[in-house]
Amino acid sequence: MSFLPPSSIGILGGGQLGRMFALEARRSGYRVVIFTDEPAGCPAGQVADVEINAGYDDAEALQQFLEEVDVVTAEFENIPDSCLQAVEAVKPLRPSRHAIYTTQHREREKLFLRDRGIACAEFRIIENVAGLEAAVAALGRPCVIKTAAFGYDGKGQAKVGEDTDLSEAWKAFEGHHAVVEQWVPFIAEMSVVGARAVDGSTAVHGCVENIHEHHILDVSISPARVPPAIETQAFALWQAVADGLGYIGTMAVEMFVTANGRVLVNEIAPRPHNSGHYTIDACRTSQFGQQLRAVCGLPLGDASQHTPAVMVNLLGDVWRAELTHPDWSPVLSHPDAKLHLYGKQVAKWRRKMGHFTVLGETVEQALSEARRLQATLPPREG
Ligand code: AMP
């Protein structure tokens, strides 16, 4: 089924990804309704036609939301399954409940990858310290313990080193399922962001090289500085995940590149992704434009990149104080820099407040300009 304006699109979630998607949808004449458990005035709510603020288990509020919308999508994956089921029973949910349910939980995601023969780090699923001991014996040290549910940006993870005491390490995970992963000595982290339409056609934007700081994305470099053989593997992995999930919408797959030229899937994000923000300024159709087309059952656009680009994340750390902006003039006065702010008032430490993208004739040029501008925004004293 396809939807044209002035159809109403419902978005589950109220963060910056929902905001940038809502802006794209409204620019194209759609009506946007946000359902979020955040307080009123959240980043997506600020730019929506309607904002409903209620718990994801609030059946009455959900009913009201479903009456308002023609089609529904999600801007983050940690939505209770009961809510996804209630939505999908009444309205098209794109991506589907199955795709979100599979990828919102590391254990299900890993089992999906294993079932499909999609390359990822070797892993074991465990639920107690005996399981941890067996997993570490099998996978070797170092390795990483990750909570199965609701982890993001490195939260809910612990590295097991040569001297780590396993009973001590397990304490943080007690009572939960966890995934233990073999340590991947990667030479680069990368992601592929792309979209799959209702008819199964796909379009990827390209490979992006990602550099993290404190487990949070810091800089995305696009196109990634990797050989064609790596790109080919990465696109094949993205395609296998998208087809395997019967995916509809924009999806990101985060990957590791190893020294011996292998590419492994790290994580799947069933939504537009931070590492795809450069597409707004550097691609013919952005990740949000593709999400809109896919969710509405329309043909995908040309995803190709027209200009090399580097995106720099702006965390609350670079605000002078929680309510005081830094001096944006170097970024604002740069002819090739595009500043995007998310409408969040309080610049908490490590909170994603915005990003800027720097375009360049070459990726190296964009990177050096991006780093130069980033240096004008030092973090405040912790
Ligand atoms: P994740 O939340 O799984 O994306 O992990 C956050 C970050 O931790 C990744 O971007 C990597 O830098 C690092 N990391 C996670 N898993 C592994 C692994 N198996 N081997 C090496 N580094 C990892």
Side-chain angles (χ1 to χ4, degrees):
M1 210 190 321
S2 61
F3 302 93
L4 288 168
S7 300
S8 291
I9 304 175
I11 306 176
L12 298 169
Q16 62 269 16
L17 297 170
R19 177 189 182 90
M20 288 181 266
F21 176 67
L23 287 169
E24 182 68 29
R26 293 197 67 183
R27 198 168 65 82
S28 303
Y30 290 90
R31 197 171 155 271
V32 173
V33 183
I34 301 293
F35 189 100
T36 175
D37 64 356
E38 288 185 51
C42 65
Q46 290 167 14
V47 302
D49 293 270
V50 180
E51 177 180 8
I52 298 173
N53 308 91
Y56 291 105
D57 58 354
D58 184 331
E60 211 174 301
L62 204 53
Q63 180 63 29
Q64 183 202 339
F65 170 73
L66 290 169
E67 280 166 16
E68 292 257 7
V69 300
D70 299 301
V71 58
V72 181
T73 188
E75 65 104 46
F76 81 127
E77 55 273 30
N78 292 336
I79 297 166
D81 190 45
S82 55
C83 174
L84 298 173
Q85 289 189 26
V87 170
E88 201 169 59
V90 184
K91 292 284 155 78
L93 175 61
R94 295 171 177 172
S96 68
R97 174 247 161 201
H98 164 72
I100 300 173
Y101 180 75
T102 305
T103 53
Q104 71 181 186
H105 190 268
R106 248 184 240 284
E107 178 178 341
R108 291 194 287 267
E109 184 172 284
K110 288 283 186 192
L111 293 174
F112 158 77
L113 294 171
R114 181 185 276 170
D115 280 355
R116 297 268 160 180
I118 299 172
C120 62
E122 250 205 83
F123 67 93
R124 296 286 185 280
I125 290 160
I126 59 164
E127 49 186 305
N128 52 38
V129 74
L132 177 60
E133 280 162 5
V136 173
L139 300 174
R141 297 178 187 234
C143 57
V144 198
I145 317 171
K146 303 181 176 183
T147 47
F150 301 131
Y152 69 97
D153 287 343
K155 292 200 172 71
Q157 296 196 15
K159 185 171 173 182
V160 174
E162 290 308 324
D163 305 323
T164 306
D165 180 90
L166 297 183
S167 336
E168 208 43 52
W170 180 249
K171 281 185 185 154
F173 298 87
E174 194 66 64
H176 299 278
H177 278 208
V179 175
V180 184
E181 257 178 49
Q182 197 159 50
W183 186 254
V184 180
F186 57 79
I187 54 166
E189 289 190 81
M190 211 168 68
S191 55
V192 174
V193 180
R196 189 170 179 278
V198 170
D199 67 1
S201 58
T202 56
V204 296
H205 293 286
C207 286
V208 184
E209 198 179 325
N210 297 320
I211 300 172
H212 295 85
E213 290 286 343
H214 320 288
H215 288 283
I216 302 173
L217 184 63
D218 181 38
V219 167
S220 285
I221 302 164
S222 184
R225 298 164 296 174
V226 294
I230 296 288
E231 281 190 348
T232 307
Q233 281 184 67
F235 293 150
L237 290 172
W238 184 92
Q239 189 74 44
V241 172
D243 290 340
L245 291 170
Y247 198 84
I248 301 175
T250 290
M251 177 187 76
V253 179
E254 294 184 66
M255 305 173 191
F256 297 128
V257 183
T258 68
N260 58 5
R262 284 196 74 205
V263 184
L264 303 175
V265 171
N266 172 29
E267 244 185 345
I268 305 164
R271 49 175 169 76
H273 190 255
N274 198 164
S275 67
H277 290 350
Y278 80 95
T279 63
I280 299 172
D281 299 304
C283 290
R284 292 193 164 79
T285 312
S286 77
Q287 63 167 348
F288 300 102
Q290 297 290 59
Q291 171 81 341
L292 180 65
R293 288 160 180 253
V295 166
C296 292
L298 303 173
L300 297 177
D302 178 352
S304 62
Q305 186 169 355
H306 52 72
T307 315
V310 170
M311 184 227 57
V312 177
N313 256 351
L314 294 166
L315 302 185
D317 313 23
V318 306
W319 263 240
R320 296 295 88 215
E322 282 200 343
L323 298 173
T324 312
H325 282 259
D327 177 9
W328 294 121
S329 36
V331 177
L332 289 173
S333 59
H334 193 292
D336 296 318
K338 319 282 174 189
L339 179 64
H340 300 257
L341 297 174
Y342 304 152
K344 299 181 188 179
Q345 286 220 340
V346 185
K348 295 218 176 83
W349 201 245
R350 304 277 192 260
R351 190 175 193 199
K352 288 179 182 171
M353 300 293 288
H355 70 269
F356 65 86
T357 301
V358 181
L359 304 176
E361 298 217 338
T362 62
V363 90
E364 279 72 24
Q365 191 211 342
L367 182 57
S368 80
E369 287 299 286
R371 289 296 194 192
R372 191 173 66 72
L373 290 176
Q374 193 181 31
T376 70
L377 299 163
R380 68 174 178 263
E381 296 297 314

